[in-house]
Amino acid sequence: MTEWFKRRLSACCMNLLYSMNPSFFIKVLVLLLLYKHVDSQCKISRCNSEFIDATANMRNFKRNTAYCNALTAYSSCTRRTARTCRGDLAYHTAVYVIEDLIIQNNCSKEQPTAVPRPPALAPNKHDFPSTDTCDYEKSFIHKHGQSPTYQYCAVFGDPHVRTVSDEFYTCRVEGSWPLLDNNNLFVQATSYPIIKGSNVTGISKLTIIFKNMKECIEEKVYQAEMDNLPVAFADGSVNGGEKPGGNSLTIHEHIPGQHITIQATYIGTTIVVRQVGKHLSFSIRIAKEIAVSFTDEQDLQLCMTGCFLSQRISIHNCCHPKGSLTRKKAHLLCKEKLPVEDVYFQSCVFDVMTSGDVNFIQASQKALEDARALHPDSKKIHIFHSDRTSHPRSSSVLLLITTVLQLYV
């Protein structure tokens, strides 16, 4: 979408908004002037989309309890993202719109709740063959008549995070951070400074907890550390235990000490853990229904939302070359293994230049290899952008305008 088209579309929408409700237009305009839109991990566009979906069939009906419930769910969604949306224009405008509409429609703020999330994968309800209970894909097809939707996440290198929404961040995160935290799976990464006094960090430890699931597996913990990539769970077992579906969770070694895969068939999940040089990497293909089965208290997950704005590093404008490895030299070294200049290539150049460690070339190369193997959409393997720390997306603002127009028509 060209900048000219964006400006024309915004102007058109604002003119229409003014003609419908001049008073509200002035209030929105004040917010436009007061808040500078920043590109953060703010997920207000998701809240906007959920509200539009929830009210899509209400336009020709009296705005009743169902409409108020949708507004309350919208409000709940914005509150969940408040911590990461401060200063975001779309967020603050949405909060104002919701408050205004709750008053206009005499909706009690104490009414229900939130847009329901898909529940945790339930044990066999006897509505499909028991032999399929611990095969997520088969049971999903049996119940829904179609294959499940899958998502992909990866963390590698400095670390760089590719979220399930195919957003890409380079993060300065030291210590332990959850990558995923849902009703069936918990993944935590621990990072350490690769170079003392610099922003460069790498993953030194991964903890993966497969939570107990009736009929399928006992709770299993997998822990990997630098120079210790085991081919067994912490209790020494190599599968999900002695339950009938124990073999729906297995570990496979590809290269000793360097590359293992964990297959969790019962939740439609494949995990790849690698050690490249002196740091670890993590990739996962996970059923969407499983990935989003978490509560409000579990919303801090790098795979779902990326790292905080304050923790993001610009891979173009940060840090100085380490030793003799200039950006130009790093560019040439990475180009040999990564001919497409996408985010994997850019990450390679950044990591090699700032660390002086050529092992990072292989880290980016293997991360791309894992994306090719695990990403559910081959057309989205490569990501191209200039810098996620400084260039805002217009989609949130445009979606917000669409939401506002629907609310006030």
Side-chain angles (χ1 to χ4, degrees):
M1 185 183 292
T2 65
E3 290 301 320
W4 176 86
F5 183 74
K6 291 176 189 174
R7 289 195 295 268
R8 295 296 296 169
L9 180 58
S10 297
C12 172
C13 291
M14 284 302 175
N15 287 337
L16 179 59
L17 181 59
Y18 180 80
S19 67
M20 292 185 316
N21 193 327
S23 174
F24 182 72
F25 172 81
I26 296 301
K27 295 172 185 176
V28 171
L29 184 60
V30 170
L31 284 170
L32 283 168
L33 295 173
L34 287 176
Y35 292 100
K36 182 180 179 181
H37 182 67
V38 295
D39 182 28
S40 70
Q41 71 173 18
C42 178
K43 297 300 175 186
I44 190 62
S45 60
R46 184 186 67 185
C47 300
N48 295 340
S49 298
E50 289 177 352
F51 180 81
I52 290 174
D53 291 341
T55 58
N57 298 319
M58 296 183 192
R59 293 174 60 85
N60 297 323
F61 298 92
K62 183 180 179 181
R63 291 179 174 180
N64 52 19
T65 302
Y67 184 78
C68 286
N69 288 347
L71 274 176
T72 308
Y74 193 8
S75 178
S76 176
C77 186
T78 59
R79 286 198 301 272
R80 289 197 300 272
T81 193
R83 179 176 54 179
T84 56
C85 285
R86 292 186 182 93
D88 187 277
L89 169 64
Y91 166 76
H92 289 284
T93 306
V95 169
Y96 178 85
V97 168
I98 294 165
E99 293 292 325
D100 194 43
L101 285 169
I102 284 175
I103 294 170
Q104 284 186 28
N105 291 276
N106 296 317
C107 298
S108 168
K109 293 183 182 180
E110 304 305 319
Q111 285 181 336
T113 62
V115 175
R117 296 181 182 275
L121 188 62
N124 187 19
K125 299 295 185 181
H126 305 295
D127 59 346
F128 53 83
S130 60
T131 53
D132 290 346
T133 302
C134 300
D135 187 320
Y136 178 85
E137 185 161 330
K138 285 184 179 180
S139 63
F140 189 95
I141 293 172
H142 183 87
K143 287 189 289 185
H144 302 285
Q146 62 183 20
S147 297
T149 299
Y150 290 96
Q151 296 181 321
Y152 175 75
C153 170
V155 184
F156 67 96
D158 187 15
H160 309 284
V161 179
R162 178 172 184 156
T163 72
V164 295
S165 303
D166 292 314
E167 296 172 329
F168 196 89
Y169 303 96
T170 297
C171 304
R172 180 178 55 244
V173 286
E174 188 174 342
S176 297
W177 290 84
L179 304 183
L180 287 165
D181 184 8
N182 57 56
N183 294 341
N184 301 96
L185 182 68
F186 176 81
V187 182
Q188 178 176 277
T190 301
S191 298
Y192 73 106
I194 293 176
I195 301 172
K196 188 176 181 180
S198 80
N199 290 324
V200 182
T201 56
I203 299 175
S204 60
K205 182 178 180 180
L206 280 166
T207 301
I208 306 171
I209 301 176
F210 299 89
K211 300 177 183 179
N212 177 71
M213 183 176 174
K214 186 179 179 181
E215 297 185 26
C216 293
I217 70 150
E218 302 164 3
E219 181 171 288
K220 295 291 177 177
V221 178
Y222 180 81
Q223 287 189 314
E225 298 185 61
M226 282 193 303
D227 301 322
N228 181 22
L229 208 64
V231 198
F233 295 106
D235 62 2
S237 63
V238 294
N239 64 13
E242 297 182 359
K243 291 186 177 183
N247 286 328
S248 63
L249 176 63
T250 55
I251 300 180
H252 308 274
E253 184 177 59
H254 302 280
I255 303 175
Q258 296 182 38
H259 180 196
I260 66 103
T261 298
I262 302 176
Q263 292 284 354
T265 310
Y266 72 102
I267 52 173
T269 296
T270 301
I271 295 173
V272 173
V273 178
R274 294 180 184 268
Q275 175 166 335
V276 182
K278 288 296 180 181
H279 56 274
L280 304 175
S281 68
F282 168 86
S283 298
I284 185 170
R285 173 187 168 105
I286 184 170
K288 182 178 180 180
E289 183 184 39
I290 299 298
V292 301
S293 63
F294 57 86
T295 65
D296 297 348
E297 290 73 29
Q298 297 169 293
D299 63 344
L300 180 59
Q301 304 176 56
L302 296 189
C303 273
M304 303 304 290
T305 57
C307 49
F308 293 135
L309 181 63
S310 61
Q311 295 167 326
R312 296 178 198 166
I313 300 174
S314 166
I315 59 177
H316 298 289
N317 304 312
C318 169
C319 313
H320 300 288
K322 178 70 174 177
S324 61
L325 280 173
T326 63
R327 180 177 289 275
K328 184 176 180 180
K329 185 175 288 188
H331 187 285
L332 292 173
L333 290 171
C334 292
K335 191 72 172 178
E336 292 179 8
K337 300 294 184 181
L338 297 159
V340 178
E341 296 191 14
D342 59 359
V343 292
Y344 294 98
F345 169 81
Q346 293 169 359
S347 299
C348 175
V349 173
F350 174 83
D351 290 348
V352 171
M353 180 188 72
T354 56
S355 69
D357 184 357
V358 294
N359 284 314
F360 277 107
I361 300 173
Q362 190 180 16
S364 293
Q365 184 184 13
K366 293 300 182 183
L368 178 57
E369 184 179 306
D370 291 338
R372 288 188 175 126
L374 298 178
H375 198 290
D377 188 346
S378 61
K379 295 179 181 178
K380 294 183 179 180
I381 291 172
H382 297 285
I383 300 175
F384 300 91
H385 64 68
S386 53
D387 200 328
R388 288 289 307 185
T389 64
S390 57
H391 292 84
R393 294 173 296 175
S394 63
S395 58
S396 274
V397 176
L398 294 177
L399 182 57
L400 174 70
I401 292 172
T402 302
T403 308
V404 169
L405 290 176
Q406 175 175 322
L407 295 175
Y408 282 86
V409 169

